[in-house]
Every structure is written in C-alpha cells, then in structure tokens.
Amino acid sequence: MAQFTVTGDVDPFLHISLASGEKIYCESNAMVMMEDTLELKGKMTGGLGSALMRRLANDESFFQQHIEAVRGAGDCLLSPTLPGAIQVLDVGETHYMVSDGAFVAADHSVNLNVRTQGVGSALFGQTGGFFICEASGRGKLAVSGFGSSFVLDVEPGKDMIIDNAHVVAWDSRLHHEISVTTRQGGGLLGQLVNSVTSGEGMVLKFSGKGKVVICSRNRENFLSWLLKGMPANR
C-alpha cells in the first residue's frame, strides 16, 4: 500500500511513495512532481455516472489524476488547490464523509462514493446539496481545508458544535444535525435573525463517537474580504 506523508509546516506537500504496481488517484491538477517511473492518466473514476455524481456532490473535477508505478517504485508530490494543512486518514472500519473541495488523494483501494443526505443539510449546508461524498474501502485518504487543521474527538455525551464552513471531513458513524444558530429555542425566524446579527452562520452539531477534521479559515469569508479590498469595490 502506498505511503502517505505530509511534508512541510506551512502550506505543505503530500509526499506519496509507491512500490512497483501500486496506484493512487488525486484531484485534478494536484500533481506537482513525480519520478519518471510513475505514469499519470486522467480518468473518470468509477465511470461516467460516478464522476457526474461526485461533481454534483463535492464540486470535484470530472476527471481525476491516476498515478501508477508502472516502471518500478517512485515518489510524487501533490498539493491541494487552496493553501492549507493536509490530514491523512485511515479508511477501513471507519468511513469518512468529505466536504466540498476537501478531497486531495487516496489509495486506489479507497472508493469515493456519493450518497444522499437529509433535507436540512441539503438546503443549508455547504456539503453538496442533497448528495455528499463518502470514502469507503481500505487505505489512505488525504483531505485538506483552508488554513490550519485540527482533529476533534467526539465522545458520547460530549457533543461538538462547529461552524459549517470549517468542517473538512468526519467519521460517517457520527450523527450530525445542521442549524442556523447555536441558540436554543426562539423558532426558525428567531434563529435566523440571531444567525445574521451574530455573524454565526450555519453550524453542525455532531454527536456519537468519532473524529471530525476542521480547518481554521472560511474560504467564502476570505473571498468576500478580498473582493471588498479590490479597487472597484472601494
């Protein structure tokens, strides 16, 4: 099985070492460098239907890069689109749900499938509308968020409330509910008003037992901040 290593403290690379015959796949344009023993091909992973569903669910590229060690062992360096930390997760007994744009790379034996989610998450979330990607199978999965990352351990009786825009991936066994505010009661209108006035936005409440990967930056807020600084918007 390919070896996944994160190298560098600030805006790191994903370093993957493959033995002869091993294969990985990654997001389009993720490959930065690879040795000439490796071969890269663009493919629709899982066929047309799966590629289209992933496009709808996670805004992933229609074609992904597949890298195989065809002429002997070799190394490659990958990089996510947004600047930020990379987390390598073990998929096996644990499956992971992956937020929009968080997928970086995975072992060939890891499947990135699409499944439906609840109406509330579909309408208010930033995780692919009615569809969301789930990583299953067995092997390594690399995900990335904007900025630094942190892994939270959710335990029974210790629920976690996380701003929706900062969620990168989570254990699929966790129960999650989406809300427009952390405020209890007050009805939907009161919660919407509190969400707007507090700047809190949508939040996800996780319960059960499992891990949640979060990132420090909100890409939509950062983009809005950049646009406000453009000369035409001053």
Side-chain angles (χ1 to χ4, degrees):
M1 192 170 292
Q3 300 298 309
F4 284 51
T5 307
V6 178
T7 178
D9 297 325
V10 179
D11 201 8
F13 286 105
L14 177 64
H15 178 195
I16 303 181
S17 297
L18 297 94
S20 182
E22 289 183 333
K23 298 182 281 187
I24 60 103
Y25 64 99
C26 58
E27 178 59 352
S28 178
N29 298 319
M31 196 280 290
V32 176
M33 181 283 299
M34 69 180 192
E35 294 184 322
D36 65 0
T37 53
L38 308 182
E39 185 176 276
L40 183 150
K41 293 181 179 179
K43 293 182 181 180
M44 291 185 295
T45 308
L48 177 61
S50 296
L52 180 60
M53 291 296 286
R54 281 194 304 273
R55 180 67 177 173
L56 293 172
N58 268 37
D59 198 30
E60 305 292 352
S61 299
F62 200 72
F63 293 93
Q64 293 176 320
Q65 293 180 330
H66 288 243
I67 300 175
E68 182 177 0
V70 295
R71 292 179 291 275
D75 291 6
C76 61
L77 290 175
L78 309 181
S79 178
T81 300
L82 290 174
I86 300 169
Q87 287 287 337
V88 178
L89 304 171
D90 289 308
V91 179
E93 293 183 7
T94 304
H95 296 178
Y96 286 94
M97 314 306 295
V98 182
S99 293
D100 294 1
F103 172 74
V104 179
D107 273 311
H108 189 261
S109 53
V110 171
N111 304 311
L112 205 59
N113 302 312
V114 175
R115 76 180 207 188
T116 57
Q117 61 176 347
V119 174
S121 297
L123 295 178
F124 295 115
Q126 295 180 340
T127 51
F130 287 98
F131 306 100
I132 189 167
C133 281
E134 180 181 16
S136 60
R138 186 168 296 276
K140 300 291 185 181
L141 166 71
V143 293
S144 178
F146 187 22
S148 300
S149 68
F150 192 79
V151 181
L152 296 167
D153 288 305
V154 181
E155 300 286 347
K158 186 183 175 183
D159 297 352
M160 295 283 184
I161 296 173
I162 306 167
D163 186 294
N164 186 47
H166 293 264
V167 178
V168 176
W170 67 92
D171 188 324
S172 63
R173 294 171 296 188
L174 287 170
H175 176 70
H176 72 283
E177 297 176 354
I178 195 160
S179 172
V180 293
T181 178
T182 57
R183 175 185 174 187
Q184 301 296 317
L188 178 60
L189 180 59
Q191 291 181 3
L192 284 169
V193 171
N194 185 69
S195 178
V196 172
T197 56
S198 68
E200 186 177 26
M202 305 297 171
V203 295
L204 282 168
K205 180 179 180 181
F206 290 95
S207 58
K209 183 177 178 60
K211 296 183 182 297
V212 181
V213 180
I214 62 173
C215 62
S216 62
R217 301 292 183 187
N218 179 326
R219 61 185 177 185
E220 299 300 330
N221 287 351
F222 185 71
L223 179 60
S224 297
W225 178 81
L226 284 178
L227 291 175
K228 287 179 181 178
M230 299 291 287
N233 297 323
R234 290 181 179 175

